[in-house]
Amino acid sequence: MSILSKTQTTSPKSLSASLTKPVLITSDFAVGSSNVVLMAGPCSVESYAQTRAAAEAVARIGGRVLRGGAFKPRTAPDSFQGLGDEGLEILRDVADEFGLLVITEALAVEHVPLVARYADIIQLGSRNMQHYPLLWAVGKLEKPVLLKRGFMSTIDEWLKAAEHISSRGNTNIMLCERGIRTFETATRNTLDTNGIALAKQLSPYPVIADPSHATGRADLVLPAARAAVAAGADGLLVEFHPDPANALSDGQQSLPLTALPHFVEEVGKITAVFGRNFT
Ligand code: PEP
Ligand code: MN
């Protein structure tokens, strides 16, 4: 058999076959199934109006999950640190208005009970991937957890961090590749598509990609999202803002809400190649 005919017998759909165990977020919504899911919204919850605008836009394109940080892990201590409890209330309010689910970050062990009360998915940030007491704290819950890969962590360390969560009983885990630090400085991080594909092979957990933090540039978010889906990602966590130029965090990598329909249409073309819907 020639190389050409060998590749021709490999259908793209077979690339998405995996041992992934779906994580049920609610009775009618799972991550890690035949659908690729979108989790979209601002980097930070800044105000009621800003977050409501994001929720409305996500609902309008048929999205199910609203992202937004209330507790923000910021590199510089003098930059915006998030609205905290008030941010959680805003998120829940606007998500409920539009029938959306909420993903938001728990930055510290003491935030976990509060965040679990407001969120449908608890996000653990890149800087906290090896914060073991935090991993154990979410491990004691049943609430779905999205574990971001540390930007200087190996795939092995990432998977072992997930084991710290499951060791306490919670196996409702999603892994999230959000870019790693390399020698390259033209982009904020480097999207590790190898890591997406390998994590899918080595673990039963759905793998989400975050093309916003992986690139740090709004103009690269769509190409990186396409690549992540082609590598097998089960979902995308993407930053959208009503006014990126005036965002209080990560404006340079945030797409305007008006770009959401185009983004969904373009990514949907890639998911369709693999026989998956983008929701
Ligand atoms: C975020 O999602 O806004 C965030 C802070 O991400 P990370 O932990 O990947 O930097
Ligand atoms: Mn961000």
Side-chain angles (χ1 to χ4, degrees):
M1 192 186 274
S2 75
I3 288 174
L4 186 62
S5 54
K6 256 189 206 161
T7 51
Q8 280 171 338
T9 58
T10 306
S11 116
K13 281 182 192 167
S14 69
L15 296 174
S16 66
S18 75
L19 300 173
T20 302
K21 183 174 107 19
V23 171
L24 210 58
I25 313 297
T26 60
S27 54
D28 71 337
F29 184 71
V31 178
S33 68
S34 59
N35 291 339
V36 175
V37 306
L38 174 66
M39 305 179 186
C43 176
S44 301
V45 175
E46 300 170 5
S47 70
Y48 184 86
Q50 169 248 15
T51 313
R52 187 180 182 281
E56 188 177 26
V58 171
R60 199 176 308 128
I61 52 89
R64 294 296 309 272
V65 187
L66 177 68
R67 68 145 285 151
F71 296 99
K72 294 304 301 179
R74 304 304 304 287
T75 301
D78 56 351
S79 51
F80 179 61
Q81 305 292 312
L83 295 181
D85 303 23
E86 189 195 346
L88 293 178
E89 281 173 27
I90 292 173
L91 263 177
R92 190 71 265 169
D93 251 36
V94 302
D96 286 348
E97 181 183 347
F98 292 100
L100 300 175
L101 300 162
V102 164
I103 176 168
T104 193
E105 178 165 352
L107 195 54
V109 174
E110 60 268 28
H111 298 158
V112 169
L114 184 71
V115 171
R117 211 172 322 132
Y118 284 92
D120 300 290
I121 303 169
I122 302 176
Q123 175 175 325
L124 296 188
S126 188
R127 292 157 188 80
N128 268 327
M129 191 203 82
Q130 289 178 310
H131 182 170
Y132 299 113
L134 186 56
L135 303 180
W136 302 329
V138 298
K140 289 182 196 144
L141 308 175
E142 284 177 22
K143 187 78 63 174
V145 176
L146 178 137
L147 177 66
K148 287 204 162 191
R149 178 178 176 183
F151 54 78
M152 293 193 284
S153 298
T154 65
I155 292 166
D156 186 55
E157 288 162 344
W158 185 26
L159 300 182
K160 287 202 169 73
E163 281 178 37
H164 274 274
I165 300 173
S166 64
S167 72
R168 296 303 195 268
N170 191 351
T171 56
N172 295 316
I173 299 169
M174 291 160 276
L175 300 168
C176 179
E177 159 58 35
R178 49 77 74 204
I180 53 174
R181 179 167 286 177
T182 68
F183 58 80
E184 183 57 75
T185 55
T187 51
R188 183 177 183 182
N189 291 289
T190 296
L191 177 67
D192 184 8
T193 45
N194 297 353
I196 294 169
L198 192 54
K200 291 280 295 178
Q201 283 184 33
L202 298 179
S203 97
Y205 304 122
V207 178
I208 307 299
D210 173 346
S212 306
H213 293 86
T215 60
R217 293 175 54 128
D219 58 351
L220 296 182
V221 169
L222 176 58
R226 290 186 180 117
V229 168
D234 296 297
L236 298 171
L237 180 70
V238 190
E239 290 184 341
F240 283 90
H241 193 283
D243 182 11
N246 290 302
L248 297 183
S249 62
D250 288 350
Q252 72 293 345
Q253 68 194 32
S254 298
L255 288 163
L257 291 175
T258 49
L260 199 39
H262 176 71
F263 181 85
V264 170
E265 192 184 326
E266 288 301 309
V267 174
K269 290 178 188 168
I270 306 296
T271 63
V273 170
F274 296 95
R276 307 178 87 180
N277 292 320
F278 186 41
T279 52

